[in-house]
Amino acid sequence: MSKNSKRPALFIDRDGTINRDCPYCHEVSDLFIYEDAVTLIRDYAERGFLIIVVTNQSGVGRGLFTVQDLEKFNTAMKEKIRELGGRIDDIYYCPHLPESGCSCRKPATGMIMQAVSDHDIDLSRSVVAGDRDDIDGELARRLGIPFILVRH
Ligand SMILES: [Mg+2]
Ligand SMILES: [Zn+2]
């Protein structure tokens, strides 16, 4: 196997980046996808990047919605993005409370490290995209990779 078989990834935030943010979004009826996010996803997919969503979902830990609600919302988002000509390869979420001290809640790097292992990703050629410099941008800085600040 070639050393170059590893693929880079676009690690992309969900709420406020792909879909319009509503506090603790989980109802499929509230799903609104930004078309410029789909354009970004499509551009990277066409260049051979895996498209990996990484999202903090403390609403689970707070008891505001269930993992089933979250997965239903994620499935609807994936289907809608596909309809719009994009693609999502995988979704990672942190369900924990901010004060839990877990290793997955962004800007901690746990979800990225799990994805790198699961998908044999070339981290050095990967990028992070998101709407929050203090969360997604900080994640990128901790990883030493570029950050794309998404503004709608
Ligand atoms: Mg966000
Ligand atoms: Zn976590």
Side-chain angles (χ1 to χ4, degrees), residues 13-19 21 54-56 106 129-132 135-136:
D13 173 51
R14 199 192 79 175
D15 301 333
T17 300
I18 293 176
N19 58 294
D21 202 5
V54 284
T55 177
N56 289 344
K106 296 181 294 181
D131 66 321
R132 291 277 299 266
I135 298 175
D136 309 299

Side-chain angles (χ1 to χ4, degrees), residues 13 15-17 21 56 106-108 128-143 145-152:
D13 173 51
D15 301 333
T17 300
D21 202 5
N56 289 344
K106 296 181 294 181
V128 175
D131 66 321
R132 291 277 299 266
D133 182 70
D134 58 332
I135 298 175
D136 309 299
E138 177 59 18
L139 171 66
R141 288 187 285 279
R142 290 186 189 185
L143 295 166
I145 62 178
F147 173 55
I148 300 163
L149 181 63
V150 175
R151 292 254 190 242
H152 297 292

Side-chain angles (χ1 to χ4, degrees), residues 33-110:
I33 304 279
Y34 292 116
E35 289 199 26
D36 56 346
V38 180
T39 302
L40 179 73
I41 287 168
R42 198 168 49 223
D43 285 351
Y44 276 86
E46 284 171 358
R47 289 160 50 199
F49 283 65
L50 288 165
I51 310 299
I52 309 284
V53 173
V54 284
T55 177
N56 289 344
Q57 293 296 330
S58 68
V60 174
R62 295 174 205 274
L64 298 174
F65 53 87
T66 65
V67 164
Q68 286 86 348
D69 294 328
L70 173 60
E71 290 184 348
K72 201 168 154 190
F73 188 94
N74 285 348
T75 298
M77 183 187 70
K78 279 173 84 165
E79 284 172 4
K80 185 70 185 167
I81 289 171
R82 192 186 299 271
E83 279 172 28
L84 294 169
R87 189 192 80 219
I88 299 292
D89 293 301
D90 209 346
I91 301 178
Y92 292 83
Y93 59 86
C94 165
H96 307 117
L97 295 171
E99 58 271 27
S100 71
C102 71
S103 60
C104 43
R105 184 177 169 83
K106 296 181 294 181
T109 58

